[in-house]
């Protein structure tokens, strides 16, 4: 059995804060400078998720109520993350002080997994699926900081390659009638080593004064699926 699957997801959000006692500009470098307090903060973030999977699988039938599929294949992923925050006012004297940290990842690698269906009768079944991947991720990261009064403060670009492990799990229920199958479930995926943000703890944008904060990307969703297929002889029970 050969499967080609394309997954696209886009998300964005924005938030503004203006607390009475001000806000510590944690994205500004160095964030620990004396008097670093802003009156307001306006932030926005976005995520673009493009994944293409090619996989080959085979079904096994341990008994009349259970179907198990083992699969493996190739995965290609392009994931863009963008985060921007602007600080203004306060004792720190910020004037539309903007910090931007976009990150773009292009990765490819191998994916293996399995799924099982337990037939409850009357066309109903419970299914579960798990998969793991390891991708060679090529990251293009950027740290840009500028102030409305001073102008551009720094613009640092970093290009690195590192492994990106991925763990996926899904579970749900399905109803099959003739060639049609309707499924509803919950899916969860964690992409490790996906965010790499430099921070500077003292004056001067140099490697000696910097450290990297690496974090993961976790996605979850409720999913619905409608399949229509012809009879698959490989999934029919053999006769004695």
């Amino acid at each position: 059995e050969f499967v080609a699957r394309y997954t696209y997801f886009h998300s964005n959000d924005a938030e503004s804060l203006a607390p009475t006692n001000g806000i510590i500009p944690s994205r500004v470098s160095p964030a620990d400078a004396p008097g670093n307090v802003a009156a307001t903060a306006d932030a926005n973030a976005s995520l673009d998720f493009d994944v293409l999977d090619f996989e080959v699988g085979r079904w096994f039938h341990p008994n009349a109520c259970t179907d198990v599929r083992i699969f493996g294949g190739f995965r290609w992923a392009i994931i863009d993350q963008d985060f921007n925050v602007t600080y203004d006012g306060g004792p720190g004297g910020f004037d539309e002080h903007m910090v931007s940290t976009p990150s773009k990842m292009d990765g490819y690698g191998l994916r293996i997994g399995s799924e099982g269906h337990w037939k409850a009768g009357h066309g109903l079944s419970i299914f579960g699926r798990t998969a793991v991947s390891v991708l060679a991720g090529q990251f293009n990261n950027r740290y840009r900081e500028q102030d409305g009064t001073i102008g551009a403060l720094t613009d640092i670009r970093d290009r690195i390659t590192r492994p990106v492990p991925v763990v996926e799990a899904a579970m749900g229920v399905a109803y099959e009638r003739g060639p049609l199958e309707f499924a509803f479930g919950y899916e969860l995926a964690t992409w490790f080593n996906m965010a790499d943000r430099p921070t500077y703890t003292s004056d001067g944008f140099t490697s000696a004064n910097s450290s990297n904060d690496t974090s993961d990307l976790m996605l979850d969703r409720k999913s619905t699926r409608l399949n229509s297929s012809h009879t698959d002889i490989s999934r029919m029970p053999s006769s004695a």
Side-chain angles (χ1 to χ4, degrees), residues 75 132-137 162-168 190-194 216-217:
R75 164 167 283 185
V132 295
S133 310
V134 178
L135 280 64
R162 64 164 172 256
V164 178
V166 185
V167 178
E168 308 165 57
T190 301
W191 294 66
F192 296 92
N193 300 334
M194 276 300 301
D216 308 322
L217 175 65

Side-chain angles (χ1 to χ4, degrees), residues 69-136:
R69 179 174 178 263
I70 307 297
F71 59 86
F74 175 80
R75 164 167 283 185
W76 179 35
I78 300 176
I79 301 177
D80 295 344
Q81 301 177 81
D82 199 3
F83 183 83
N84 305 285
V85 60
T86 300
Y87 301 102
D88 197 31
F94 293 99
D95 179 18
E96 296 294 324
H97 193 109
M98 186 272 293
V99 179
S100 177
T101 55
S103 177
K104 301 181 183 297
M105 191 277 288
D106 189 341
Y108 56 90
L110 300 178
R111 178 174 178 261
I112 60 172
S114 64
E115 66 176 293
H117 292 249
W118 180 74
K119 300 175 183 177
H122 305 289
L124 291 174
S125 64
I126 299 173
F127 69 86
R129 182 176 65 253
T130 183
V132 295
S133 310
V134 178
L135 280 64

Side-chain angles (χ1 to χ4, degrees), residues 146-238:
Q146 66 182 39
D147 186 85
T149 301
I150 303 174
L153 297 174
T154 186
D155 191 349
I156 300 174
R157 301 169 188 262
D158 188 23
R159 188 171 185 176
I160 59 175
T161 300
R162 64 164 172 256
V164 178
V166 185
V167 178
E168 308 165 57
M171 189 172 184
V173 295
Y175 176 73
E176 186 175 0
R177 186 176 180 86
L180 298 178
E181 181 188 58
F182 176 78
F184 175 79
Y186 175 75
E187 301 181 14
L188 177 67
T190 301
W191 294 66
F192 296 92
N193 300 334
M194 276 300 301
D196 192 2
R197 181 176 71 91
T199 57
Y200 298 86
T201 55
S202 60
D203 291 330
F205 295 95
T206 65
S207 58
N209 299 324
S210 70
S211 62
N212 285 330
D213 295 333
T214 302
S215 58
D216 308 322
L217 175 65
M218 186 170 69
L219 303 171
D220 69 329
R221 65 175 181 174
K222 297 175 183 177
S223 64
T224 56
R225 184 180 71 243
L226 179 63
N227 291 336
S228 176
S229 61
H230 299 288
T231 301
D232 186 351
I233 298 177
S234 66
R235 296 191 61 180
M236 298 179 61
S238 58

